[in-house]
């Protein structure tokens, strides 16, 4: 056999290897154009307003009159204000405690409602009812129920419940966290329910053959398989804590005193009650930076393959 006959197949294989990426590159260009409308909306409704807020943070404006440059004075005043650090601390307290409360409850309810029994479907519908209500409606309802004179305690004649839930600084923040959890646990339960249903049944069948009970299956199969679901839910939960405004505004208005005045509410009250758009813009920029840092940190926890598809062949 000649040398030319031995090397010919190798040449063809090399040609196939170099030619293989061509169809992929050909499909990539049209797919990239599909993202253009979303990119335009993102730039118009996210990047441009954010740039405007950043510029506004270096000005003085009452919302009506002329805008005048203020240099970095708004930033210096914000970082010298103890009220900003108090609001920031309350924001992190609400964020951390909300995560600690909502994550285990949502995870357990998600696993429970992912079952195939009919009564679980009925319970799932009941669990998801708070998703149909607005934050303002929930706040008004709880404000009426927790009224110590005319609320649930008076109606049921239970003196134990007759506390000044929203007027006591030691109780108000706990009530706010409870109401937030009541509203958002169904949403995260839905996320976990979908994640549990994606876990292959064969893994549980193999574990049952090996003698693993339900508890071991939960901790050694369900929880590890839900790693990316937990990260996604945690990202939504923690970054979403930076947007809690309407519920707290209606429920407590930031009081009593400043007991529930978290940073998003502080930003609103500074801008639209004190008419100080410059300092309010500083608080808005701080919230954006914290939100981006938290989201990036949580995504890094998922590893470098976080954005890769977990399905075979995709």
């Amino acid at each position: 056999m000649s040398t030319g006959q031995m090397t010919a197949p190798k040449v063809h294989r090399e040609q196939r290897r170099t030619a293989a990426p061509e169809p992929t590159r050909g499909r990539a260009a049209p797919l990239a154009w599909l993202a253009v409308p979303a990119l335009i909306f993102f730039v118009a409704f996210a990047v441009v307003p954010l740039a405007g807020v950043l510029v506004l943070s270096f000005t003085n404006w009452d919302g009506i009159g002329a805008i005048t440059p203020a240099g970095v004075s708004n930033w210096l005043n914000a970082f010298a204000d103890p009220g900003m650090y108090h609001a920031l601390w309350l924001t992190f307290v609400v964020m951390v405690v909300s995560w600690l409360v909502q994550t285990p409850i949502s995870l357990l309810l998600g696993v429970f409602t992912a079952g195939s029994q009919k009564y679980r479907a009925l319970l799932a519908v009941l669990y998801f009812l708070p998703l149909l209500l607005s934050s303002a409606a929930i706040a008004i309802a709880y404000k009426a129920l927790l009224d110590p004179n005319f609320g649930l305690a008076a109606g049921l004649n239970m003196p134990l419940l007759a506390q000044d839930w929203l007027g006591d600084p030691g109780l108000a923040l706990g009530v706010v966290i409870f109401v937030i959890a009541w509203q958002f646990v169904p949403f995260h339960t839905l996320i976990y329910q979908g994640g549990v249903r994606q876990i292959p049944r064969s893994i549980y069948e193999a574990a049952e053959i090996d003698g693993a009970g339900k508890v071991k299956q939960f901790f050694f199969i369900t929880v590890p398989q839900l790693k990316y679901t937990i990260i996604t839910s945690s990202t939504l939960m923690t970054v979403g804590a930076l947007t809690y405004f309407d519920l707290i505004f209606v429920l407590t208005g930031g009081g009593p005193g400043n007991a529930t005045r978290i940073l998003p509410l502080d930003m609103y009250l500074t801008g639209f009650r004190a008419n100080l758009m410059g300092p309010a813009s500083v608080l808005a920029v701080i919230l954006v930076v914290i939100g981006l840092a938290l989201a990036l940190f949580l995504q890094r926890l998922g590893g470098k393959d976080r954005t890769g598809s977990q399905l075979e062949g995709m």
Side-chain angles (χ1 to χ4, degrees):
M1 187 177 291
S2 67
T3 306
Q5 291 173 325
M6 293 179 64
T7 56
K10 294 182 179 179
V11 172
H12 289 307
R13 283 198 296 271
E14 292 297 329
Q15 290 175 343
R16 285 197 297 271
R17 288 174 185 171
T18 55
E22 291 298 332
T24 304
R25 287 198 296 268
R27 289 194 302 268
L31 290 177
W33 282 105
L34 295 177
V36 171
L39 185 62
I40 292 174
F41 273 94
F42 178 75
V43 171
F45 295 102
V47 177
V48 172
L50 181 60
V53 169
L54 181 61
V55 172
L56 205 58
S57 68
F58 295 98
T59 64
N60 285 327
W61 188 39
D62 60 2
I64 299 177
I67 302 175
T68 57
V72 295
S73 61
N74 290 330
W75 288 87
L76 296 177
N77 293 334
F79 285 109
D81 181 15
M84 192 275 285
Y85 294 103
H86 176 72
L88 190 60
W89 166 250
L90 289 180
T91 304
F92 280 113
V93 170
V94 171
M95 181 189 300
V96 173
V97 177
S98 296
W99 185 87
L100 291 175
V101 172
Q102 293 183 48
T103 298
I105 296 175
S106 303
L107 178 58
L108 292 174
L109 286 177
V111 173
F112 176 75
T113 56
S116 57
Q117 292 86 345
K118 291 183 179 178
Y119 70 91
R120 297 193 185 193
L122 176 63
L123 291 176
V125 172
L126 296 177
Y127 290 147
F128 299 147
L129 279 180
L131 286 177
L132 305 177
L133 305 175
S134 69
S135 298
I138 292 173
I140 293 172
Y142 269 98
K143 198 171 185 178
L145 290 173
L146 296 175
D147 190 295
N149 299 316
F150 308 103
L152 197 61
L156 298 177
N157 194 22
M158 298 178 65
L160 183 63
L161 294 178
Q163 308 290 331
D164 192 5
W165 297 101
L166 301 178
D168 187 336
L171 297 175
L173 189 62
V175 172
V176 167
I177 293 172
F178 171 80
V179 177
I180 289 172
W182 186 86
Q183 181 183 11
F184 290 104
V185 159
F187 172 73
H188 295 283
T189 298
L190 200 61
I191 294 176
Y192 284 116
Q193 184 191 53
V196 171
R197 287 179 174 171
Q198 296 299 317
I199 301 175
R201 180 63 191 165
S202 58
I203 300 178
Y204 292 103
E205 293 173 351
E208 290 176 357
I209 293 174
D210 291 339
K214 295 296 182 183
V215 176
K216 284 187 176 180
Q217 290 180 26
F218 175 77
F219 284 106
F220 293 101
I221 296 177
T222 303
V223 174
Q225 290 290 321
L226 291 176
K227 173 185 174 183
Y228 297 120
T229 307
I230 294 172
I231 291 174
T232 300
S233 173
S234 299
T235 303
L236 294 173
M237 212 176 287
T238 54
V239 177
L242 301 176
T243 64
Y244 295 153
F245 156 72
D246 44 0
L247 188 144
I248 300 177
F249 179 71
V250 176
L251 192 63
T252 66
N258 291 327
T260 58
R261 184 166 170 151
I262 64 173
L263 202 57
L265 182 60
D266 189 33
M267 176 190 67
Y268 170 80
L269 296 177
T270 302
F272 294 96
R273 284 227 175 138
N275 295 324
L276 299 172
M277 296 300 176
S281 300
V282 173
L283 301 179
V285 174
I286 292 174
L287 283 172
V288 171
V289 172
I290 294 174
L292 291 176
L294 281 173
L296 183 62
F297 171 72
L298 290 171
Q299 294 302 307
R300 287 297 181 102
L301 288 180
K304 294 181 179 178
D305 59 340
R306 171 69 179 86
T307 57
S309 174
Q310 303 303 307
L311 300 179
E312 293 182 3
M314 299 184 68

